[in-house]
Amino acid sequence: MTTPVTLSVKWNKETYEATFIPSEGVLKLKVTLQGLTGVPPERAKLMAKTKGLWKGILKDDFDLSSIDYAAALSASKTETISVMLMGTADKIVAPVKKIVFLEDLPPEEIAKVVEPSGLINLGNTCYMNSVLQCLRPIPELREGLQKYNGGNALVKYLGNTLDSLDRTSESFSPDMFLMTLKRQYPQFGQTGPQGQPMQQDAEEFFSHIAAECAREMTGGDTVAYPGVDNIIDATLGIEMTETMTCDEVPSGEEVSTPSTDLSRKIVCNIQGGHGNETQINHIGEGIELALKGKVEKHSNVLGRNAVWTKTGRISRLPPVLTVQFGRFYWKEVRGKNMPFSSMLVFV
């Protein structure tokens, strides 16, 4: 048989491709493998991994032309004719793939293989840093920011800051983004009596950034979302349907017409409602609780104001779901918002 045959040869941790002519015999095949691995023919032991070749260790006098290679190939699960080579090389053989050490990589390549880089706290800017890190891995947003060529400085510096994080493995200072944020939203530049930056709300910051991007980043890949004309709502928009039922009218005889709205986040109430009447242990429970509420409005049946139950339902989920954990509640004793922490199960 003079038709060339290609083998997949496993030796140590490496895999090689070797082409040989069966009629040239076993010794010629071993010489070919020596050129790839450095294993001399007298030390080379070949075992078949694909069925239909030979049994045990290949003998030097075996007739390789007697094998039906086409049948062996069709029966192979890996779609290759595989053999295993055992033996010690005379010389060290260079690996098939060049080994590149981490310290030899340029900064932008190092950033791809190490832990994500962090943002330097510029004075109570944890609210900003945490939201930026949450926005960082959203591909639709990143692609839109890279294509953006408008004049909104805050949107521009948002894209520049996220790109800078991708290009370094070191902590990055978002000072230009912060300066632009304070210029467009002065409330984020407020200081305390001693001149120290005041703490800010991450949800408020997220809402402003989302609104800026929604105004600026219109069009694009939004055709799959009817009624949506910007990348933010196409990526983060949650379609909500809300109904209201009057509690003071028996048997639910007065129900408002369902209304539909688009929200960029959904609330998870981790405290469990006023007075701790409900214990929240799962994120789904917190979201379900936040979708219900009591309001006071006019009842046409009663002719006066009455208490209504407001119930929200998610009618369409976005590619990326943003969840705001409601960790502050009103404590009547002190009359101010108090922090609350709770352990929640996500899955």
Side-chain angles (χ1 to χ4, degrees):
M1 179 179 178
T2 58
T3 303
V5 175
T6 300
L7 299 178
S8 177
V9 182
K10 180 71 181 297
W11 179 64
N12 293 336
K13 296 181 180 181
E14 304 291 345
T15 301
Y16 302 87
E17 272 197 2
T19 302
F20 75 105
I21 297 175
S23 59
E24 293 181 346
V26 175
L27 182 59
K28 181 64 176 178
L29 171 59
K30 291 183 176 181
V31 170
T32 301
L33 295 178
Q34 182 183 16
L36 296 173
T37 65
V39 179
E42 61 272 16
R43 295 183 195 160
K45 293 180 175 61
L46 289 168
M47 295 186 66
K49 296 179 67 178
T50 299
K51 293 182 179 180
L53 299 181
W54 60 83
K55 294 182 179 180
I57 296 176
L58 179 63
K59 297 180 180 180
D60 290 343
D61 59 354
F62 182 80
D63 184 8
L64 294 173
S65 299
S66 64
I67 299 173
D68 187 345
Y69 293 98
L73 183 61
S74 62
S76 173
K77 295 181 180 179
T78 61
E79 299 182 353
T80 59
I81 301 176
S82 303
V83 300
M84 179 183 293
L85 172 64
M86 296 178 291
T88 306
D90 273 343
K91 60 181 180 178
I92 298 176
V93 179
V96 176
K97 296 181 180 179
K98 183 182 178 182
I99 298 175
V100 180
F101 294 97
L102 188 65
E103 56 267 26
D104 296 330
L105 292 172
E108 59 271 17
E109 293 299 321
I110 294 177
K112 295 178 182 179
V113 296
V114 299
E115 292 292 328
S117 52
L119 288 161
I120 296 173
N121 193 315
L122 301 176
N124 279 336
T125 57
C126 50
Y127 72 93
M128 178 185 75
N129 292 355
S130 58
V131 172
L132 291 178
Q133 292 286 20
C134 289
L135 296 176
R136 181 180 178 182
I138 302 177
E140 296 88 348
L141 174 64
R142 300 298 303 278
E143 183 178 351
L145 288 170
Q146 290 171 359
K147 294 178 179 178
Y148 179 69
N149 57 4
N152 189 306
L154 190 61
V155 176
K156 280 186 177 180
Y157 279 117
L158 173 63
N160 292 343
T161 300
L162 299 181
D163 288 342
S164 297
L165 280 171
D166 288 344
R167 292 195 297 267
T168 180
S169 59
E170 304 294 332
S171 298
F172 178 76
S173 178
D175 46 1
M176 293 301 296
F177 178 81
L178 180 61
M179 289 173 57
T180 307
L181 174 68
K182 292 178 179 179
R183 188 162 52 246
Q184 293 191 210
Y185 293 94
Q187 65 266 35
F188 291 106
Q190 293 176 339
T191 57
Q194 307 300 323
Q196 75 278 13
M198 295 183 64
Q199 292 188 352
Q200 302 291 341
D201 183 59
E203 187 277 330
E204 182 183 1
F205 169 71
F206 167 80
S207 297
H208 285 309
I209 291 298
E212 291 285 346
C213 290
R215 280 195 296 268
E216 295 292 324
M217 300 163 63
T218 56
D221 300 326
T222 60
V223 291
Y225 301 89
V228 173
D229 64 351
N230 65 83
I231 293 177
I232 292 298
D233 289 333
T235 305
L236 306 178
I238 311 162
E239 189 176 86
M240 307 286 295
T241 301
E242 184 178 276
T243 57
M244 298 183 68
T245 305
C246 184
D247 295 359
E248 300 180 38
V249 175
S251 304
E253 295 177 3
E254 188 172 13
V255 180
S256 67
T257 303
S259 60
T260 301
D261 194 15
L262 197 68
S263 176
R264 292 165 187 157
K265 61 179 175 61
I266 193 166
V267 177
C268 172
N269 189 332
I270 68 173
Q271 194 269 336
H274 178 70
N276 280 328
E277 297 173 355
T278 305
Q279 294 298 318
I280 301 301
N281 299 307
H282 192 280
I283 186 173
E285 298 172 352
I287 291 176
E288 184 178 6
L289 181 63
L291 290 174
K292 296 180 179 179
K294 300 288 186 180
V295 297
E296 183 177 328
K297 60 172 286 189
H298 183 77
S299 167
N300 292 328
V301 174
L302 300 174
R304 59 175 174 83
N305 284 352
V307 177
W308 295 65
T309 295
K310 180 175 63 174
T311 304
R313 289 290 181 265
I314 301 171
S315 52
R316 186 183 69 198
L317 283 171
V320 179
L321 180 64
T322 304
V323 179
Q324 176 196 355
F325 290 94
R327 64 178 295 268
F328 292 96
Y329 68 98
W330 184 258
K331 191 170 183 178
E332 295 180 357
V333 176
R334 296 184 182 179
K336 63 178 181 180
N337 287 330
M338 298 295 294
F340 183 87
S341 62
S342 176
M343 293 182 64
L344 290 184
V345 178
F346 283 79
V347 293

